[in-house]
Amino acid sequence: MSTDPQPAPMFPDGLSAAEAVRRLQTEGFNELPQAGSRSILRLVADVLKEPMLLLLLGGAGIYLALGDTAEAILLGVFASASVFITIVQEARTERVLESLRDLSSPRALVIRDGERIRIAGREVVRGDLIVLSEGDRVAADAVLRDCDDLLTDESLLTGESVPVRKRPAAGEAMDAATVAGGDDQPFVFSGSLVVRGGGIAEVMATGPHTAIGRIGQSVTALETETPRLRQQTRRLVVAFAIGGAIVVAITVVLYAMYRGGWLEGILAGIALGMSMLPEEFPVVLTVFLAMGAWRISQARVLTRRASAIESLGAATVLCSDKTGTLTQNRMMVARLVLPDGGVLQPATATPEAIAPPFRDLVATAVLACDPQSHDPMEKALHALGADATAGATLQRRYGLRPDLLAMTNVWSRDGAGVAAAKGAPEAIAKLCGVDGGALAALQARVETLAAEGLRVLGVAEASWSGEALPDAQQDFAFSFRGLVGFADPLRPEVKDAVAECRAAGVRVIMITGDYPATATAIARQAGIDPERVIAGPELADLDDDALALAARAPTAFARIMPEQKLRIVTALKACGEIVAMTGDGVNDAPSLKAAHIGIAMGGRGTDVAREASAIVLLDDDFGSIVKAIRLGRRIYDNLRKAMSFILAVHFPIAGLALLPLVTGLPLLLGPVHIAFLEMIIDPVCSLVFEAETEESDIMRRPPRDPQEPLLPRPLVLWGALQGILAMLATGGVLLLAHRNGMPDDELRALVFFSLVSVIVSLIFVNRSFSSSLREALLRPNRMLLLVIGFVVAVLATSLTLPAAAALFRFGPLHADDLALTAAAAITTLIMLELSKFPLRAALSRRADKPDQVVKAASPAR
């Protein structure tokens, strides 16, 4: 029997596509009901708990008590708008997350209409034939129709970590009483993992009808911990809220005692509280992480955990597989080598130049392949010798084993039998009994081919008399037929991507199962240039300290077993590196989990590797990793710009709310004005800064320190400097106009327009720290234009529409008044831009010191 599972005779074609669609419509998707979804009423209730909304509603109630219905209605409208925006944003976020869940859901290889197709696991239906291979997560409860050496891990259902052995069904049926666990069952269960072998199974139950569905568990659910950025944001908001509550309480008491009644004092306190509470922090963080995951997905990179976005910009080491990541995973036969040393390059050879010994070598290599293979090397061999299996019948396959990296196929043709083997040259040499000088010559040829970046397989052949086949392939009398060298071309974008990583301070380490010479050749082609290549056996002899020391230098690893990757990751982490790690196999899961950023291959990777990872490359492209790092840095940069802007804006707002109490001026800004300003600040932070393109030097900076707080001291000082200058500019306008005897309603309009103009200038100040003002002004950002257009339209309406002017209690402004507001904004902008030069120089000097992490503390970062 072949180890490549084939459908049983009674199920040759599986379901038809039409029948699968009908069952999908009738029985629903193969997924469990989504838990935790919030209804509209629950969402509204959650929104009503927000401090800013409570302040708005409180202010509306006080205005009603004072008899000011218009102000109360306007605050109610702002409150309703806040609820509406939150609901729309929640729905948008859910759509984004749902699309990401679709991308990350387990996939299944099914047989429909006689063809093998890969579909999303949620599209599997009852009656489907699913093809199971090592590393797959079973998509649904099913009965095995055919299997070979199949073991599954059912610990998700049983709690028992020891894999269980499976057998094909012999008439048994699966029902609700069928339970997991125990050897020699013909059933596989949704959520279990195939740890060895393969098979074909007929789906009996999907979705909530599976064993895991009946006990209400979700296989793909991951326990989410609060990301570090979210924890920091909450602490910031709590700290501001506590400080603000104290100031508000004092303000209410003083205002009531010296300026008027308690209701007016409470209104002043509400306005001050709204001005001091930076409730935008959690909103901005939520939007940035959700939109960041969406933006990264546009680069064919799926972010499965929000913490990966904040870690990307801090990565210092990128451990990459070779095959399919650095290279194209598109093998071609580049060399044929006979036992006597004869060499042929098939790509350049004419048909007549291919002598019979080379044709025999190709034919034997093809016979050693899977007839329906998806392996790139076997595809290349089939393309070279497509007719080798004509008229032959496959009798048995001997698969690869850890103790013998070779595989053998036994064929019969016209009453004669032949056993063809291929595998690692040392394993084939062992099967053929090659030793002494012949073995040394063979090893020299292998090293020569490997030095050219070729992957080398040995080929052997044995006759079979038709008697009972042996239990192991070592029992055949093999003869060595030669070597086959395969070339896997480097991806064209890899060299530039590696250079970009090096410029960004991210060291690239290649980890491969190939020979050291092959690893060295590919690494040099990619521009990695390792000083040392450590092979698996050498690594096994190194203790942890020696490995950590070796990992500090430019290094590549070759002939590495999957379990050794965990040691490499651990050693790098011990050196203080922030490690990103790629993997695709079942045994890669520990190293993917251990790495700070686990990166699974979405194309060729197994389900267990994807679930253990934080990021999935949908196209297995190394260049996509670099794009993700760049986007991660951009997202973190823009998040800090938004935080700096938020911090700066609250200074003049709070200052104008406090100034009347200190100076005896009339109360100019009430809750309605603060609420309107918040309606500007939130979209500016959530939309404008999130849409900012990356800084020109974003991939020329060293990685940021992952332990650095979201608002480090230099960024706080920079935000405070902006806020103080903005407060001085708007306060100066207020004092100047009041001294000239401007009426209160006109003064209120002038101060409000000045404040909004200064806020707009702060947007341009925070758009970039490393580039000039001219570049910041000319850098395209469609969202910025839309927001500014909206602000101008609302301000114009508040002046020209009597009803709006009455609501805001605005008086008329003249051209010279508007010129004064523009002058305040321009002055603030120029002064802050000039202040960037000494700050930028100081940051550059400190960034030159490798032990300083101030490089990550600038507003642009």
Short mmCIF file of all heavy atoms in Angstrom, two decimals, residues 474-527:
data_model
loop_
_atom_site.label_atom_id
_atom_site.label_comp_id
_atom_site.label_asym_id
_atom_site.label_seq_id
_atom_site.Cartn_x
_atom_site.Cartn_y
_atom_site.Cartn_z
N GLN A 474 16.42 -0.91 4.40
CA GLN A 474 17.82 -1.33 4.55
C GLN A 474 18.04 -2.77 4.08
O GLN A 474 19.19 -3.17 3.85
CB GLN A 474 18.26 -1.21 6.02
CG GLN A 474 18.34 0.21 6.53
CD GLN A 474 17.06 0.65 7.23
OE1 GLN A 474 15.97 0.25 6.81
NE2 GLN A 474 17.20 1.47 8.26
N ASP A 475 16.95 -3.53 3.91
CA ASP A 475 17.10 -4.94 3.55
C ASP A 475 17.22 -5.17 2.05
O ASP A 475 17.41 -6.31 1.60
CB ASP A 475 15.91 -5.74 4.10
CG ASP A 475 15.85 -5.72 5.62
OD1 ASP A 475 16.93 -5.67 6.24
OD2 ASP A 475 14.74 -5.75 6.18
N PHE A 476 17.10 -4.11 1.26
CA PHE A 476 17.32 -4.24 -0.18
C PHE A 476 18.82 -4.15 -0.47
O PHE A 476 19.57 -3.49 0.25
CB PHE A 476 16.60 -3.12 -0.95
CG PHE A 476 15.10 -3.27 -1.00
CD1 PHE A 476 14.29 -2.55 -0.15
CD2 PHE A 476 14.51 -4.15 -1.91
CE1 PHE A 476 12.91 -2.68 -0.19
CE2 PHE A 476 13.14 -4.28 -1.96
CZ PHE A 476 12.32 -3.54 -1.11
N ALA A 477 19.24 -4.78 -1.57
CA ALA A 477 20.64 -4.72 -2.01
C ALA A 477 20.79 -3.58 -3.02
O ALA A 477 20.78 -3.79 -4.24
CB ALA A 477 21.06 -6.05 -2.63
N PHE A 478 20.97 -2.39 -2.50
CA PHE A 478 20.99 -1.20 -3.35
C PHE A 478 22.36 -1.02 -4.01
O PHE A 478 23.40 -1.37 -3.45
CB PHE A 478 20.67 0.06 -2.52
CG PHE A 478 19.21 0.24 -2.24
CD1 PHE A 478 18.70 0.04 -0.96
CD2 PHE A 478 18.33 0.62 -3.25
CE1 PHE A 478 17.37 0.22 -0.68
CE2 PHE A 478 16.99 0.80 -2.98
CZ PHE A 478 16.50 0.61 -1.70
N SER A 479 22.28 -0.41 -5.22
CA SER A 479 23.48 0.03 -5.93
C SER A 479 23.38 1.53 -6.15
O SER A 479 22.32 2.05 -6.50
CB SER A 479 23.61 -0.68 -7.29
OG SER A 479 23.74 -2.07 -7.10
N PHE A 480 24.49 2.22 -5.95
CA PHE A 480 24.52 3.68 -6.07
C PHE A 480 24.42 4.09 -7.54
O PHE A 480 25.16 3.58 -8.38
CB PHE A 480 25.79 4.23 -5.44
CG PHE A 480 25.86 5.72 -5.41
CD1 PHE A 480 24.98 6.46 -4.64
CD2 PHE A 480 26.80 6.40 -6.16
CE1 PHE A 480 25.04 7.84 -4.62
CE2 PHE A 480 26.87 7.78 -6.15
CZ PHE A 480 25.98 8.51 -5.37
N ARG A 481 23.50 5.02 -7.86
CA ARG A 481 23.29 5.44 -9.24
C ARG A 481 23.81 6.86 -9.50
O ARG A 481 24.03 7.22 -10.65
CB ARG A 481 21.81 5.38 -9.59
CG ARG A 481 21.29 3.96 -9.75
CD ARG A 481 21.87 3.32 -11.02
NE ARG A 481 21.42 1.95 -11.20
CZ ARG A 481 22.09 0.87 -10.83
NH1 ARG A 481 23.27 1.01 -10.24
NH2 ARG A 481 21.61 -0.33 -11.03
N GLY A 482 23.99 7.67 -8.46
CA GLY A 482 24.54 9.01 -8.70
C GLY A 482 23.89 10.05 -7.80
O GLY A 482 23.14 9.75 -6.87
N LEU A 483 24.21 11.31 -8.10
CA LEU A 483 23.72 12.45 -7.34
C LEU A 483 22.90 13.37 -8.23
O LEU A 483 23.17 13.49 -9.44
CB LEU A 483 24.89 13.25 -6.75
CG LEU A 483 25.84 12.53 -5.80
CD1 LEU A 483 27.04 13.41 -5.48
CD2 LEU A 483 25.12 12.12 -4.51
N VAL A 484 21.91 14.00 -7.63
CA VAL A 484 21.10 15.00 -8.33
C VAL A 484 21.19 16.29 -7.53
O VAL A 484 20.92 16.32 -6.33
CB VAL A 484 19.63 14.57 -8.46
CG1 VAL A 484 18.83 15.63 -9.22
CG2 VAL A 484 19.51 13.22 -9.15
N GLY A 485 21.60 17.38 -8.19
CA GLY A 485 21.70 18.68 -7.54
C GLY A 485 20.57 19.59 -7.99
O GLY A 485 20.31 19.73 -9.19
N PHE A 486 19.89 20.19 -7.02
CA PHE A 486 18.75 21.05 -7.31
C PHE A 486 19.08 22.49 -6.94
O PHE A 486 19.73 22.75 -5.92
CB PHE A 486 17.52 20.62 -6.49
CG PHE A 486 17.04 19.24 -6.79
CD1 PHE A 486 17.59 18.13 -6.13
CD2 PHE A 486 16.04 19.02 -7.72
CE1 PHE A 486 17.16 16.85 -6.40
CE2 PHE A 486 15.60 17.74 -7.99
CZ PHE A 486 16.16 16.65 -7.33
N ALA A 487 18.62 23.40 -7.75
CA ALA A 487 18.80 24.82 -7.49
C ALA A 487 17.46 25.44 -7.15
O ALA A 487 16.46 25.19 -7.83
CB ALA A 487 19.40 25.53 -8.70
N ASP A 488 17.44 26.18 -6.07
CA ASP A 488 16.24 26.93 -5.67
C ASP A 488 16.62 28.40 -5.75
O ASP A 488 17.29 28.92 -4.85
CB ASP A 488 15.83 26.54 -4.26
CG ASP A 488 14.53 27.21 -3.83
OD1 ASP A 488 13.92 27.91 -4.67
OD2 ASP A 488 14.14 27.05 -2.66
N PRO A 489 16.24 29.10 -6.80
CA PRO A 489 16.72 30.47 -7.00
C PRO A 489 16.32 31.39 -5.85
O PRO A 489 15.25 31.26 -5.26
CB PRO A 489 16.06 30.89 -8.32
CG PRO A 489 15.64 29.62 -8.97
CD PRO A 489 15.35 28.66 -7.87
N LEU A 490 17.21 32.33 -5.57
CA LEU A 490 16.93 33.34 -4.56
C LEU A 490 15.79 34.23 -5.05
O LEU A 490 15.71 34.57 -6.23
CB LEU A 490 18.18 34.19 -4.33
CG LEU A 490 18.28 35.00 -3.04
CD1 LEU A 490 18.46 34.08 -1.84
CD2 LEU A 490 19.42 36.00 -3.13
N ARG A 491 14.91 34.59 -4.14
CA ARG A 491 13.85 35.53 -4.51
C ARG A 491 14.49 36.87 -4.91
O ARG A 491 15.42 37.33 -4.25
CB ARG A 491 12.89 35.75 -3.34
CG ARG A 491 11.99 34.57 -3.05
CD ARG A 491 11.05 34.89 -1.90
NE ARG A 491 10.16 33.80 -1.58
CZ ARG A 491 8.93 33.64 -2.08
NH1 ARG A 491 8.47 34.53 -2.94
NH2 ARG A 491 8.18 32.60 -1.75
N PRO A 492 14.01 37.48 -5.95
CA PRO A 492 14.68 38.69 -6.45
C PRO A 492 14.70 39.84 -5.45
O PRO A 492 15.59 40.68 -5.49
CB PRO A 492 13.87 39.05 -7.71
CG PRO A 492 12.57 38.32 -7.57
CD PRO A 492 12.86 37.08 -6.80
N GLU A 493 13.72 39.89 -4.54
CA GLU A 493 13.66 41.02 -3.61
C GLU A 493 14.46 40.78 -2.34
O GLU A 493 14.59 41.70 -1.52
CB GLU A 493 12.20 41.31 -3.24
CG GLU A 493 11.54 40.27 -2.35
CD GLU A 493 11.02 39.07 -3.10
OE1 GLU A 493 11.21 39.01 -4.34
OE2 GLU A 493 10.43 38.17 -2.48
N VAL A 494 15.01 39.58 -2.16
CA VAL A 494 15.62 39.23 -0.87
C VAL A 494 16.86 40.07 -0.60
O VAL A 494 17.06 40.56 0.52
CB VAL A 494 15.95 37.73 -0.82
CG1 VAL A 494 16.93 37.41 0.29
CG2 VAL A 494 14.68 36.93 -0.63
N LYS A 495 17.72 40.23 -1.59
CA LYS A 495 18.98 40.94 -1.35
C LYS A 495 18.73 42.36 -0.86
O LYS A 495 19.35 42.83 0.11
CB LYS A 495 19.83 40.94 -2.61
CG LYS A 495 21.27 41.38 -2.37
CD LYS A 495 22.15 41.07 -3.58
CE LYS A 495 23.62 41.40 -3.28
NZ LYS A 495 24.49 41.06 -4.43
N ASP A 496 17.81 43.07 -1.50
CA ASP A 496 17.49 44.43 -1.06
C ASP A 496 16.83 44.43 0.31
O ASP A 496 17.08 45.32 1.13
CB ASP A 496 16.56 45.11 -2.09
CG ASP A 496 17.28 45.42 -3.39
OD1 ASP A 496 18.52 45.48 -3.39
OD2 ASP A 496 16.59 45.58 -4.41
N ALA A 497 15.98 43.42 0.56
CA ALA A 497 15.30 43.35 1.86
C ALA A 497 16.30 43.11 2.98
O ALA A 497 16.19 43.71 4.07
CB ALA A 497 14.24 42.25 1.83
N VAL A 498 17.28 42.23 2.75
CA VAL A 498 18.31 41.98 3.77
C VAL A 498 19.12 43.24 4.01
O VAL A 498 19.43 43.59 5.17
CB VAL A 498 19.21 40.81 3.34
CG1 VAL A 498 20.43 40.71 4.24
CG2 VAL A 498 18.43 39.50 3.36
N ALA A 499 19.47 43.94 2.94
CA ALA A 499 20.22 45.19 3.10
C ALA A 499 19.41 46.21 3.88
O ALA A 499 19.95 46.95 4.72
CB ALA A 499 20.59 45.75 1.72
N GLU A 500 18.10 46.24 3.66
CA GLU A 500 17.24 47.17 4.40
C GLU A 500 17.20 46.79 5.88
O GLU A 500 17.21 47.67 6.75
CB GLU A 500 15.83 47.14 3.80
CG GLU A 500 14.96 48.28 4.26
CD GLU A 500 13.66 48.36 3.48
OE1 GLU A 500 13.38 47.45 2.67
OE2 GLU A 500 12.91 49.33 3.68
N CYS A 501 17.16 45.49 6.16
CA CYS A 501 17.19 45.03 7.56
C CYS A 501 18.49 45.45 8.23
O CYS A 501 18.49 45.94 9.38
CB CYS A 501 17.05 43.52 7.62
SG CYS A 501 15.35 42.92 7.46
N ARG A 502 19.60 45.27 7.55
CA ARG A 502 20.89 45.62 8.14
C ARG A 502 20.96 47.12 8.40
O ARG A 502 21.50 47.56 9.43
CB ARG A 502 22.02 45.17 7.23
CG ARG A 502 22.08 43.64 7.06
CD ARG A 502 23.18 43.19 6.12
NE ARG A 502 24.50 43.37 6.70
CZ ARG A 502 25.61 42.86 6.19
NH1 ARG A 502 25.55 42.13 5.08
NH2 ARG A 502 26.78 43.07 6.76
N ALA A 503 20.45 47.92 7.48
CA ALA A 503 20.44 49.36 7.69
C ALA A 503 19.57 49.75 8.88
O ALA A 503 19.83 50.75 9.55
CB ALA A 503 19.94 50.07 6.43
N ALA A 504 18.54 48.94 9.14
CA ALA A 504 17.63 49.21 10.25
C ALA A 504 18.11 48.62 11.56
O ALA A 504 17.40 48.69 12.57
CB ALA A 504 16.24 48.67 9.92
N GLY A 505 19.31 48.02 11.56
CA GLY A 505 19.84 47.44 12.78
C GLY A 505 19.26 46.10 13.13
O GLY A 505 19.37 45.64 14.27
N VAL A 506 18.63 45.43 12.15
CA VAL A 506 18.06 44.10 12.37
C VAL A 506 18.98 43.07 11.74
O VAL A 506 19.20 43.09 10.52
CB VAL A 506 16.64 43.99 11.76
CG1 VAL A 506 16.06 42.60 12.01
CG2 VAL A 506 15.74 45.06 12.34
N ARG A 507 19.54 42.21 12.55
CA ARG A 507 20.47 41.19 12.07
C ARG A 507 19.68 39.99 11.55
O ARG A 507 18.77 39.50 12.21
CB ARG A 507 21.41 40.76 13.19
CG ARG A 507 22.51 39.81 12.78
CD ARG A 507 23.67 39.91 13.77
NE ARG A 507 23.25 39.72 15.15
CZ ARG A 507 23.35 38.55 15.80
NH1 ARG A 507 23.87 37.50 15.19
NH2 ARG A 507 22.97 38.46 17.05
N VAL A 508 20.01 39.53 10.35
CA VAL A 508 19.33 38.39 9.73
C VAL A 508 20.18 37.14 9.93
O VAL A 508 21.36 37.12 9.58
CB VAL A 508 19.07 38.63 8.24
CG1 VAL A 508 18.34 37.42 7.63
CG2 VAL A 508 18.24 39.89 8.03
N ILE A 509 19.58 36.11 10.49
CA ILE A 509 20.24 34.82 10.70
C ILE A 509 19.48 33.77 9.91
O ILE A 509 18.26 33.63 10.06
CB ILE A 509 20.29 34.44 12.19
CG1 ILE A 509 21.17 35.41 12.97
CG2 ILE A 509 20.77 33.02 12.38
CD1 ILE A 509 21.22 35.13 14.46
N MET A 510 20.18 33.03 9.08
CA MET A 510 19.55 31.97 8.31
C MET A 510 19.68 30.64 9.05
O MET A 510 20.76 30.28 9.52
CB MET A 510 20.20 31.84 6.92
CG MET A 510 19.48 30.87 6.01
SD MET A 510 20.22 30.80 4.37
CE MET A 510 21.75 29.95 4.74
N ILE A 511 18.57 29.93 9.17
CA ILE A 511 18.55 28.62 9.81
C ILE A 511 17.96 27.64 8.80
O ILE A 511 16.82 27.81 8.36
CB ILE A 511 17.71 28.63 11.10
CG1 ILE A 511 18.24 29.68 12.07
CG2 ILE A 511 17.68 27.26 11.74
CD1 ILE A 511 17.40 29.83 13.33
N THR A 512 18.74 26.64 8.44
CA THR A 512 18.31 25.73 7.38
C THR A 512 18.72 24.30 7.70
O THR A 512 19.62 24.07 8.51
CB THR A 512 18.90 26.16 6.03
OG1 THR A 512 18.49 25.24 5.01
CG2 THR A 512 20.42 26.20 6.07
N GLY A 513 18.08 23.38 7.05
CA GLY A 513 18.44 21.97 7.18
C GLY A 513 19.46 21.54 6.13
O GLY A 513 19.88 20.39 6.12
N ASP A 514 19.86 22.47 5.28
CA ASP A 514 20.82 22.13 4.22
C ASP A 514 22.25 22.02 4.78
O ASP A 514 22.52 22.34 5.93
CB ASP A 514 20.78 23.21 3.13
CG ASP A 514 19.71 22.92 2.09
OD1 ASP A 514 19.32 21.75 1.98
OD2 ASP A 514 19.28 23.86 1.41
N TYR A 515 23.14 21.61 3.88
CA TYR A 515 24.55 21.49 4.24
C TYR A 515 25.15 22.86 4.52
O TYR A 515 24.70 23.88 3.99
CB TYR A 515 25.31 20.83 3.09
CG TYR A 515 25.13 19.35 3.01
CD1 TYR A 515 24.11 18.81 2.24
CD2 TYR A 515 25.97 18.49 3.71
CE1 TYR A 515 23.93 17.44 2.16
CE2 TYR A 515 25.79 17.12 3.64
CZ TYR A 515 24.78 16.59 2.87
OH TYR A 515 24.59 15.24 2.81
N PRO A 516 26.21 22.90 5.35
CA PRO A 516 26.87 24.18 5.62
C PRO A 516 27.33 24.90 4.36
O PRO A 516 27.21 26.12 4.27
CB PRO A 516 28.05 23.77 6.51
CG PRO A 516 27.59 22.52 7.20
CD PRO A 516 26.75 21.80 6.18
N ALA A 517 27.86 24.16 3.40
CA ALA A 517 28.32 24.81 2.18
C ALA A 517 27.15 25.44 1.42
O ALA A 517 27.27 26.56 0.89
CB ALA A 517 29.04 23.80 1.30
N THR A 518 26.02 24.74 1.36
CA THR A 518 24.83 25.30 0.71
C THR A 518 24.35 26.53 1.46
O THR A 518 24.00 27.56 0.84
CB THR A 518 23.71 24.24 0.65
OG1 THR A 518 24.20 23.06 0.04
CG2 THR A 518 22.52 24.77 -0.12
N ALA A 519 24.32 26.42 2.78
CA ALA A 519 23.88 27.55 3.59
C ALA A 519 24.78 28.76 3.36
O ALA A 519 24.30 29.90 3.25
CB ALA A 519 23.87 27.16 5.07
N THR A 520 26.08 28.52 3.30
CA THR A 520 27.03 29.62 3.08
C THR A 520 26.80 30.28 1.73
O THR A 520 26.80 31.52 1.61
CB THR A 520 28.47 29.10 3.18
OG1 THR A 520 28.68 28.51 4.46
CG2 THR A 520 29.46 30.23 2.97
N ALA A 521 26.60 29.46 0.68
CA ALA A 521 26.41 30.01 -0.66
C ALA A 521 25.14 30.86 -0.73
O ALA A 521 25.16 31.98 -1.26
CB ALA A 521 26.35 28.87 -1.67
N ILE A 522 24.03 30.34 -0.20
CA ILE A 522 22.77 31.08 -0.26
C ILE A 522 22.86 32.34 0.60
O ILE A 522 22.37 33.41 0.23
CB ILE A 522 21.61 30.19 0.18
CG1 ILE A 522 21.45 29.00 -0.79
CG2 ILE A 522 20.31 30.98 0.26
CD1 ILE A 522 21.13 29.42 -2.21
N ALA A 523 23.48 32.23 1.78
CA ALA A 523 23.60 33.39 2.66
C ALA A 523 24.39 34.50 1.99
O ALA A 523 24.03 35.69 2.09
CB ALA A 523 24.26 32.98 3.98
N ARG A 524 25.46 34.13 1.28
CA ARG A 524 26.26 35.16 0.59
C ARG A 524 25.48 35.78 -0.56
O ARG A 524 25.55 36.98 -0.80
CB ARG A 524 27.56 34.55 0.10
CG ARG A 524 28.54 34.27 1.25
CD ARG A 524 29.78 33.55 0.78
NE ARG A 524 30.72 33.36 1.90
CZ ARG A 524 31.79 32.58 1.84
NH1 ARG A 524 32.06 31.91 0.73
NH2 ARG A 524 32.56 32.46 2.90
N GLN A 525 24.71 34.95 -1.28
CA GLN A 525 23.88 35.51 -2.35
C GLN A 525 22.87 36.51 -1.80
O GLN A 525 22.56 37.51 -2.43
CB GLN A 525 23.14 34.38 -3.07
CG GLN A 525 24.02 33.46 -3.89
CD GLN A 525 23.21 32.35 -4.55
OE1 GLN A 525 22.04 32.53 -4.88
NE2 GLN A 525 23.83 31.20 -4.73
N ALA A 526 22.35 36.22 -0.60
CA ALA A 526 21.34 37.08 0.00
C ALA A 526 21.93 38.31 0.67
O ALA A 526 21.20 39.23 1.04
CB ALA A 526 20.51 36.30 1.01
N GLY A 527 23.27 38.34 0.84
CA GLY A 527 23.90 39.47 1.50
C GLY A 527 23.96 39.34 3.00
O GLY A 527 24.21 40.32 3.71
#
